[in-house]
Amino acid sequence: MEFLNSFILITNYIIIPGLTYGSQLALGALGITIVYTVLRFSNFAHGELMSFGTMSTILLTWIFIDSNIKFGTFPTAIIVLPFSIIFTIIYCLLVDKFVFKFYRQQKSKSVIVLIVSIGVMFFTGGLIRFIIGPGDKNFMDGERFILKAKDFKMLTGLDEGLTIKSTQFVTIILTILLVILLFWFLNKTKTGKSMRAYSDNQELALLSGINPERIVLITWIITGTLACVAGTLYGLDKSYKPFTYLHLVLPIFAAAIVGGVGNPIGAIIGGFVISFSELLITFAYKKFFFYILPNNFLPDGLLQILSTDYKIAVSFIILVLVLLIKPTGIYKGKIIK
Amino acid sequence: MYLLHGENITCGYDTVDILSECSVGVRKGEIASIVGPNGAGKSTAMKSIFGLLKIRLGKILLDNEDITNLLPQERVLKGMGYVPQTNNIFPTLSVQENLEMGAFIQHEDFSDILDYVYDLFPVLREKRNQQAGELSGGQRQQVAVGRALMTKPKVLMLDEPSAGVSPIVMESLFQKIIEIAQQGTAVLMVEQNAKQALEISDLGFVLNQGKNLYTGTGKALLSNKEVIQSFLGG
Amino acid sequence: MQDKQHIILLFLSMFILIAFVGFFQSWNLALTIFNLCIISSIMSLGINIQWGNAGIVNFGVMGFAALGGLANIIVSMPPTAKAWDAGAIYILIGIIIFILSIIFSILVWLKSGLSKKKKYIINFLLIILGYFLMRYIIDSPIKAIESIEPAKTGYLGGLDLPVIISWPIGGLLAALIAYVIGKISLGLRSDYLAIATLGISEIIIYILKNEDWLSRGVKNVNGLPRPVPYEIELQSEPWVLELTKFFNIPVSEISSILVKLSYSCIFLLILIGILLLLEIAQKSPWGRMMRAIRDNEVSANAMGKDIKTRHLQVFVIGSSIIGIAGAMLTTLDGQFTPVTYQPLRFTFLIWIMVIIGGSGNNFGSIIGGFLIWFFWVQSEPLGLWFISQITTHISDTNIIKGHLLENAAHIKLMFMGMILLITLRFAPKGLIPEVKR
């Protein structure tokens, strides 16, 4: 019984939030990784692209709710997603046309394009704040919980409650679907394979008759989709504030690099490594040990490895450690010079 | 009558001409080799024939059709296959995917060509789900050649196929090249290992400083004292 | 000669711009902008020597600037007497133990002949052990220190020395940390280095935000001493009163202008000093070698030039310049507020300055610093003005107009992005291009 309680405690405070946040990071990191391998630069504007996608979702959600279109117990934002994805893709393509295309044709060094992406980051950040304002926006509606702690306790008779927020449920399900779709596309379709071929060896891909502009187009379609979904899910789960998305770039980069930049599986693994380390390192284990240790063995203090204030810093620490010890990441990524 | 003919090509980078009035060609079902010292313009000749380098003078004919102004991709559609010297595979794609990419430009079913390539290089069939970048040097070269064969080219162009592989592997690779030619595909290649290349060639072109120095059958060149002395190391 | 005229013209226009602010808004504002322009310029000089001369991408400006700010506290604040009784020394001991465990594990890594797997395990255990030992030692003294009058002190305090000393100390502190960062991360590729430095600077800010015993964290340290007189003191000086009569401006304003002017003079001296040193360095064989390495790392390597050491030197120098500027900034603010350190304002804005000004040219960095800071501050009112101009025909009660006016301030981000993108596209060499020496 005590063991079950401790298990539920861990599930409630680490496993479910870890899976949720990890999914959001994984989707973000996939976007960064795909831009990095195909277009060959580190896109610092990715956080703002996610923010742009979320903003589109919020604006459309308001319109949908006004016209009384809702998604039952689930957030309306979910049925809005296909439309906001289209907006995000259009924005990505416009940015590419007016900004990145030039540097691709010039074959600029990747570090120059990185600095260009900072310009895009500024511009997009300003545009978003100009359109929707800098404040907090809540766009979560529908039922908040799928499983409430009280109900769970009643059902099982345990002391520890288990809650599953509907946003957590939606995040995990959507991520699984999207990842399956992405991998099916990359590995099974002719276009997906040609995209991987292009990222492997541009010259040979050209010789094989692969059209680079088409690859670029598809890359932005995928990136825009991933960014929009990742941003929206993060915004639903936490809350939307343009400012936080700027700070999301670094954990996302951390996830991409930890997993091995350029490797989609690595990006996903990296997302979960980051999210679980953040939670595991800042979790107060006192209650956990309360269940599994005899009472007189229980030490003082919260039994935290690092205070919760350092939660996000954990991802930076892991990032720096990985860069120092194994820059290629867990799954060997691509090195682009 | 050459199937593929680069006629009096003059070209180079910027203002410097690497090739001047250089002619090379290959007949159907035959092997032709371009040999010569370093910097003779061998690889430049290949690149210009395949359209990777714009030529200033001269023309390129494939089956009597002038293809001088076509893009490399368009030449692939016309029936040319090209294997670059380096970076000639997609390292993180599987062997089979590499071959599929070779046929990317085609829209019809290519399973029979795939079988042909696998029959030619049985080891590739065995390792078809492995990442191409993880294979040995010789196997990677087979992937590269196989990829170029996927469009069923009339002419296969190989830029230093034996670069970086051991003598034994080179031997078996040349054996495969002979097989390819026997199936009716013309093979035009550039080789550093001039002697071995000329031994299997029907036709040889010795280039020096961007010009044709000697042209003749492989056997004739191998018995030409001057060629032996200056280019085949005694 | 053309170049010199070009530079002079640019600087003149810059001063005219600032003078405009003086005439049309207020001299107080103009001087505030001017002082911050100088600090921004010094920071850009720090980045420029790294990026422009050596091609090193340092996205850690924020962290080094904050370290400079920390130096202010350590140097100039009065010590909290009770804190030392509460066991401050144990904190030092604890931290030293942790650092020793890291050093020891590095030694194990480099010197021992163990297998890689064993090294990983030993290092992991060593650091974990060091960490928990440190926590065991420092946790209770930290609690004790942080509970000493938390509303007023609750931290160690400083050495009670003149604040101006904190500027070189800030530079030294930044240099020290830069040495460690550089030592471990300069081998990385440029974009990884960018991400690593950004990450490390975030970690520095997190520490400053949360280690209350050191920096009071988000409670901020207020009332830092000044190197210049206080307005109140000036207001009773007879000569100040004379000036008040002469210019016919209220005494409160003239005193504050005088304070700002004295800051301007000190800052300007430092800016010129750093500029001179950098120019000398760039003209020296050392500078030439740096550029040779930047332009062709492979051949420089082949010629036997020790790239790693050079890069480390330039990284430390540039970062310490940023540290000095960061210390000056905190002194000017009179308070240390960790939450104000944002990558957008501290790291990326400085980068825009360097790129716009002209990578590789010190004068370019200075003009970039002036121009971008000027527009960063002024584009808010400009944006507001612009929006109100285009919406004059819309009635004031219109929701869209209200919304636009409300968010007009954010045009400045868009504006900065546009400037950067346009410069990179059409004038990638910047306002004052690098001089080919």
Side-chain angles (χ1 to χ4, degrees):
Chain A
M1 204 61 170
E2 294 300 271
F3 172 75
L4 260 184
N5 271 324
S6 67
F7 175 72
I8 295 299
L9 180 81
I10 293 293
T11 313
N12 197 25
Y13 288 101
I14 294 184
I15 296 180
I16 293 177
L19 284 175
T20 313
Y21 182 45
S23 301
Q24 291 150 4
L25 287 181
L27 289 180
L30 274 173
I32 286 215
T33 267
I34 283 172
V35 170
Y36 184 81
T37 45
V38 182
L39 305 177
R40 306 190 171 222
F41 67 94
S42 303
N43 185 12
F44 271 74
H46 195 79
E48 297 301 334
L49 291 181
M50 286 167 59
S51 180
F52 187 93
T54 319
M55 176 189 74
S56 315
T57 308
I58 292 174
L59 295 176
L60 289 169
T61 304
W62 289 345
I63 296 174
F64 271 53
I65 291 177
D66 268 353
S67 358
N68 250 328
I69 308 173
K70 284 184 182 171
F71 192 34
T73 54
F74 291 105
T76 312
I78 302 304
I79 41 168
V80 168
L81 262 179
F83 304 97
S84 52
I85 285 173
I86 292 172
F87 278 110
T88 318
I89 292 172
I90 293 173
Y91 184 74
C92 288
L93 292 175
L94 284 175
V95 168
D96 185 74
K97 184 172 161 45
F98 289 110
V99 183
F100 292 123
K101 192 176 179 185
F102 174 79
Y103 301 93
R104 198 161 53 242
Q105 286 167 346
Q106 297 277 305
K107 296 200 163 59
S108 301
K109 278 198 222 158
S110 72
V111 60
I112 300 292
V113 190
L114 185 159
I115 296 170
V116 169
S117 82
I118 285 168
V120 174
M121 178 184 93
F122 266 90
F123 181 81
T124 312
L127 183 70
I128 291 164
R129 287 165 179 77
F130 184 62
I131 294 175
I132 201 166
D136 242 318
K137 301 280 178 300
N138 191 352
F139 60 111
M140 169 69 201
D141 62 345
E143 214 52 63
R144 258 192 88 68
F145 294 100
I146 285 184
L147 183 63
K148 283 182 186 156
K150 207 172 64 191
D151 299 343
F152 180 83
K153 283 184 195 165
M154 289 240 292
L155 215 66
T156 57
L158 290 171
D159 294 336
E160 272 304 315
L162 182 67
T163 47
I164 302 177
K165 287 197 281 180
S166 55
T167 53
Q168 294 173 324
F169 177 75
V170 165
T171 299
I172 295 168
I173 296 295
L174 263 186
T175 305
I176 294 172
L177 285 179
L178 211 56
V179 167
I180 291 175
L181 197 68
L182 179 69
F183 277 79
W184 170 80
F185 172 78
L186 286 177
N187 292 316
K188 298 287 176 220
T189 66
K190 193 177 171 185
T191 315
K193 286 177 194 175
S194 70
M195 202 167 124
R196 282 164 53 221
Y198 181 83
S199 89
D200 251 17
N201 188 338
Q202 275 191 24
E203 266 94 78
L204 197 61
L206 292 180
L207 290 185
S208 309
I210 292 167
N211 177 0
E213 285 310 307
R214 200 175 124 83
I215 300 288
V216 171
L217 175 79
I218 292 162
T219 305
W220 284 117
I221 290 176
I222 295 176
T223 308
T225 309
L226 289 169
C228 181
V229 175
T232 300
L233 291 177
Y234 184 83
L236 271 178
D237 193 35
K238 311 280 187 320
S239 83
Y240 176 74
K241 202 175 178 191
F243 177 73
T244 49
Y245 281 69
L246 173 74
H247 285 260
L248 212 52
V249 178
L250 217 45
I252 287 173
F253 262 114
I257 291 174
V258 167
V261 179
N263 187 321
I265 299 175
I268 295 166
I269 305 272
F272 290 110
V273 167
I274 295 288
S275 74
F276 278 102
S277 358
E278 278 189 18
L279 290 165
L280 286 171
I281 291 180
T282 56
F283 183 68
Y285 287 95
K286 185 169 186 145
K287 207 168 176 192
F288 175 75
F289 285 114
F290 167 78
Y291 283 120
I292 59 167
L293 283 181
N295 268 350
N296 41 347
F297 276 100
L298 204 64
D300 291 337
L302 289 170
L303 297 178
Q304 236 173 342
I305 300 175
L306 213 56
S307 114
T308 334
D309 300 325
Y310 283 107
K311 200 165 180 176
I312 298 174
V314 170
S315 64
F316 307 148
I317 296 171
I318 293 173
L319 167 72
V320 173
L321 282 179
V322 166
L323 280 176
L324 299 179
I325 298 168
K326 199 163 182 280
T328 46
I330 300 171
Y331 279 80
K332 205 172 164 204
K334 252 171 224 164
I335 303 294
I336 290 164
K337 287 183 186 110
Chain B
M1 192 63 229
Y2 289 134
L3 177 66
L4 173 67
H5 192 186
E7 218 180 328
N8 298 324
I9 307 167
T10 301
C11 72
Y13 304 92
D14 296 329
T15 52
V16 189
D17 280 344
I18 309 269
L19 294 179
S20 49
E21 307 213 330
C22 176
S23 291
V24 290
V26 61
R27 291 189 206 89
K28 188 173 185 321
E30 288 191 354
I31 301 173
S33 299
I34 305 174
V35 298
N38 273 335
K42 297 177 306 227
S43 281
T44 312
M46 287 297 249
K47 282 185 186 145
S48 61
I49 292 173
F50 193 63
L52 292 168
L53 200 65
K54 228 177 157 51
I55 63 173
R56 278 204 310 119
L57 297 167
K59 56 184 172 183
I60 292 150
L61 300 170
L62 178 69
D63 234 354
N64 277 332
E65 190 187 343
D66 191 336
I67 55 164
T68 315
N69 294 318
L70 293 187
L71 288 171
Q73 296 92 295
E74 294 166 333
R75 293 178 205 221
V76 172
L77 277 176
K78 291 276 179 198
M80 291 171 77
Y82 176 69
V83 181
Q85 183 182 341
T86 51
N87 293 329
N88 50 19
I89 55 162
F90 301 112
T92 70
L93 264 58
S94 70
V95 169
Q96 175 134 352
E97 284 168 340
N98 262 277
L99 299 180
E100 285 171 17
M101 280 305 119
F104 182 83
I105 225 166
Q106 286 185 160
H107 295 288
E108 61 245 50
D109 182 44
F110 49 76
S111 52
D112 54 324
I113 319 173
L114 199 60
D115 274 336
Y116 163 67
V117 173
Y118 280 151
D119 289 341
L120 192 64
F121 304 115
V123 77
L124 296 189
R125 174 174 279 142
E126 215 174 280
K127 303 198 163 176
R128 62 171 176 268
N129 291 324
Q130 219 166 317
Q131 280 195 1
E134 292 171 353
L135 302 180
S136 71
Q139 290 167 347
R140 280 211 294 256
Q141 213 59 305
Q142 295 184 1
V143 174
V145 175
R147 191 201 61 83
L149 286 173
M150 285 302 290
T151 43
K152 251 198 233 164
K154 295 180 205 157
V155 186
L156 180 65
M157 299 172 63
L158 307 170
D159 195 348
E160 304 235 5
S162 74
V165 300
S166 69
I168 302 166
V169 173
M170 181 177 81
E171 192 123 333
S172 74
L173 200 63
F174 279 6
Q175 211 51 50
K176 300 293 179 189
I177 292 171
I178 296 172
E179 270 180 55
I180 293 168
Q182 280 166 351
Q183 301 277 341
T185 307
V187 178
L188 177 64
M189 64 178 181
V190 159
E191 255 303 335
Q192 199 69 251
N193 297 304
K195 203 167 165 196
Q196 288 87 335
L198 288 176
E199 269 165 10
I200 64 161
S201 298
D202 300 287
L203 199 57
F205 301 90
V206 181
L207 300 194
N208 195 14
Q209 298 187 329
K211 291 192 176 78
N212 287 91
L213 205 59
Y214 300 99
T215 305
T217 61
K219 279 207 186 88
L221 289 175
L222 278 173
S223 53
N224 182 326
K225 283 212 178 85
E226 283 172 66
V227 173
I228 292 170
Q229 269 183 351
S230 19
F231 302 114
L232 303 181
Chain C
M1 275 303 105
Q2 195 65 40
D3 291 341
K4 259 190 194 146
Q5 276 179 11
H6 175 69
I7 294 174
I8 291 168
L9 203 70
L10 276 170
F11 275 96
L12 263 181
S13 343
M14 196 60 238
F15 287 118
I16 291 170
L17 268 181
I18 293 176
F20 259 107
V21 176
F23 282 116
F24 292 105
Q25 287 175 286
S26 84
W27 284 103
N28 235 325
L29 180 64
L31 281 171
T32 308
I33 294 177
F34 183 71
N35 286 342
L36 284 166
C37 279
I38 296 178
I39 290 174
S40 306
S41 297
I42 299 178
M43 288 188 187
S44 342
L45 281 175
I47 286 300
N48 184 43
I49 190 178
Q50 296 174 339
W51 164 247
N53 287 298
I56 297 172
V57 184
N58 175 6
F59 276 4
V61 184
M62 172 177 78
F64 295 117
L67 285 172
L70 179 67
N72 272 270
I73 302 177
I74 296 176
V75 169
S76 70
M77 289 309 279
T80 309
K82 281 187 207 147
W84 291 93
D85 302 334
I89 200 75
Y90 288 107
I91 297 182
L92 287 180
I93 294 173
I95 292 172
I96 288 170
I97 287 177
F98 185 52
I99 292 173
L100 281 179
S101 80
I102 292 174
I103 291 175
F104 197 62
S105 70
I106 293 171
L107 284 179
V108 168
W109 190 261
L110 296 177
K111 305 278 178 201
S112 79
L114 295 167
S115 73
K116 212 161 185 184
K117 206 172 175 182
K118 273 187 189 150
K119 278 184 190 171
Y120 272 119
I121 295 169
I122 290 179
N123 273 344
F124 181 75
L125 290 178
L126 263 175
I127 290 174
I128 292 285
L129 188 77
Y131 178 76
F132 282 106
L133 205 59
M134 171 181 81
R135 284 285 301 272
Y136 181 74
I137 298 173
I138 68 176
D139 271 6
S140 51
I142 283 180
K143 228 180 192 170
I145 288 171
E146 286 175 1
S147 57
I148 304 167
E149 290 187 77
K152 267 168 77 190
T153 53
Y155 76 126
L156 282 181
L159 303 170
D160 210 8
L161 295 168
V163 72
I164 212 152
I165 297 175
S166 75
W167 301 354
I169 296 292
L172 273 180
L173 194 61
L176 189 75
I177 302 290
Y179 179 81
V180 177
I181 297 175
K183 196 80 192 163
I184 55 182
S185 60
L186 275 177
L188 295 170
R189 280 176 20 242
S190 52
D191 45 352
Y192 277 18
L193 182 63
I195 294 165
T197 45
L198 187 60
I200 292 172
S201 71
E202 289 275 8
I203 295 173
I204 293 175
I205 302 301
Y206 265 95
I207 291 175
L208 293 178
K209 262 188 214 167
N210 292 306
E211 297 306 316
D212 289 12
W213 57 273
L214 180 67
S215 60
R216 292 196 83 220
V218 289
K219 287 183 289 183
N220 305 339
V221 174
N222 299 311
L224 288 167
R226 280 183 180 180
V228 296
Y230 284 84
E231 286 88 346
I232 291 288
E233 295 166 21
L234 284 176
Q235 279 163 19
S236 50
E237 293 280 339
W239 61 274
V240 175
L241 296 172
E242 286 289 310
L243 279 177
T244 312
K245 269 182 217 144
F246 185 78
F247 285 111
N248 200 16
I249 328 179
V251 66
S252 62
E253 203 175 328
I254 205 131
S255 61
S256 120
I257 288 177
L258 282 171
V259 168
K260 287 185 174 118
L261 260 180
S262 26
Y263 271 122
S264 307
C265 293
I266 310 175
F267 287 179
L268 213 49
L269 274 177
I270 294 176
L271 173 67
I272 292 168
I274 291 177
L275 175 68
L276 280 178
L277 288 176
L278 287 178
E279 281 290 305
I280 292 169
Q282 277 184 353
K283 286 188 180 120
S284 70
W286 182 84
R288 243 177 290 137
M289 190 180 293
M290 282 321 306
R291 287 189 298 278
I293 292 173
R294 176 199 64 186
D295 293 336
N296 198 338
E297 207 157 294
V298 182
S299 72
N301 211 359
M303 289 189 302
K305 295 188 169 145
D306 188 0
I307 295 179
K308 263 203 165 159
T309 318
R310 302 281 159 186
H311 274 180
L312 189 59
Q313 285 169 353
V314 98
F315 188 72
V316 168
I317 293 171
S319 306
S320 86
I321 292 175
I322 298 168
I324 294 171
M328 288 159 61
L329 178 67
T330 304
T331 308
L332 180 68
D333 287 346
Q335 56 177 355
F336 182 70
T337 39
V339 284
T340 53
Y341 290 93
Q342 294 297 334
L344 211 60
R345 146 80 179 87
F346 275 90
T347 299
F348 298 126
L349 199 64
I350 303 294
W351 267 84
I352 295 184
M353 293 169 185
V354 175
I355 303 275
I356 307 282
S359 325
N361 191 311
N362 290 328
F363 293 97
S365 298
I366 294 175
I367 199 78
F370 269 82
L371 200 66
I372 296 300
W373 182 260
F374 183 85
F375 279 111
W376 180 252
V377 179
Q378 289 291 334
S379 58
E380 231 164 277
L382 274 177
L384 205 61
W385 174 82
F386 177 72
I387 296 289
S388 49
Q389 283 301 307
I390 56 168
T391 54
T392 38
H393 300 293
I394 306 174
S395 91
D396 282 344
T397 50
N398 188 307
I399 300 171
I400 293 177
K401 179 173 182 176
H403 176 83
L404 286 178
L405 284 173
E406 201 179 304
N407 292 335
H410 304 290
I411 284 190
K412 81 174 172 187
L413 286 177
M414 280 160 86
F415 183 66
M416 285 299 147
M418 285 303 275
I419 294 188
L420 180 64
L421 290 175
I422 289 170
T423 308
L424 282 167
R425 174 79 170 257
F426 299 106
K429 292 198 168 115
L431 283 174
I432 310 179
E434 187 188 351
V435 187
K436 290 278 167 234
R437 295 184 230 250

